[in-house]
Amino acid sequence: MVTRVNEHEIPAFSRLAEELSCLPIFSPPSLNLRLLGLERSEGGQTIGTEELQYRVHHRIAEWLPRDETYVLEPYRRTRDGKARFEDFASGEKIFDCEWPWKAMVINWDQSVALCCGAWSPSEAVGNLSLQSMGAIWNGPCIVKRAGALSGD
């Protein structure tokens, strides 16, 4: 996932992948702006609209890559002042994600997730230190999670 913090590493990573005879894959970041509206302030009160707008714009400024190749359209519209702020305040996804059907995320601890935004260990569908990739991909956790994601 390419962010403002790591986009300078793309050339070096591409060279490393070539040395290892691998195909590097770079994807746009998911800033999870929709979740900012669900956060609470320190006092337990819901965050006000002004604070929420500040957080959305701050996250975009801090994490959105400079290279437009890696900027999703909803984030581009928000950055450029062309999106409705309410789209991000609802907690609902404003665009579809193909990750669960095409890719997996391998975390630092070898746990495997279906989403780049899955941070909780409970969202893991397997662990490469315990299972093969084939066993995870064809395993019951994938079937269960994929069914839940598609509404089945």
Side-chain angles (χ1 to χ4, degrees):
M1 186 178 324
V2 178
T3 67
R4 183 168 297 217
V5 176
N6 68 11
E7 67 183 320
H8 69 280
E9 298 173 340
I10 291 173
F13 186 81
S14 295
R15 285 190 301 275
L16 175 62
E18 186 177 334
E19 290 171 15
L20 297 172
S21 299
C22 295
L23 175 66
I25 297 175
F26 302 101
S27 64
S30 174
L31 302 180
N32 290 314
L33 299 179
R34 65 190 172 90
L35 302 178
L36 291 176
L38 303 177
E39 293 181 3
R40 303 264 179 196
S41 67
E42 289 180 23
Q45 300 296 316
T46 302
I47 297 169
T49 302
E50 192 173 301
E51 174 64 17
L52 192 53
Q53 286 178 327
Y54 168 78
R55 289 183 183 196
V56 165
H57 291 292
H58 178 74
R59 185 164 294 176
I60 285 174
E62 184 176 5
W63 291 100
L64 205 62
R66 289 176 184 87
D67 184 338
E68 291 292 312
T69 305
Y70 305 107
V71 178
L72 294 170
E73 186 59 30
Y75 299 146
R76 185 178 292 121
R77 286 194 316 266
T78 301
R79 179 199 61 203
D80 297 343
K82 296 177 182 174
R84 295 179 332 120
F85 175 74
E86 295 79 18
D87 291 342
F88 291 111
S90 68
E92 298 294 319
K93 286 192 82 156
I94 62 172
F95 59 90
D96 292 328
C97 178
E98 296 177 353
W99 273 73
W101 321 123
K102 295 184 174 183
M104 295 176 130
V105 177
I106 302 172
N107 296 308
W108 65 274
D109 62 354
Q110 297 186 50
S111 63
V112 178
L114 291 177
C115 175
C116 61
W119 302 291
S120 171
S122 67
E123 295 177 278
V125 294
N127 191 297
L128 290 172
S129 65
L130 305 172
Q131 304 159 277
S132 70
M133 182 60 81
I136 294 170
W137 186 256
N138 295 305
C141 285
I142 296 286
V143 173
K144 180 180 173 186
R145 299 258 187 203
L149 291 169
S150 66
D152 292 344

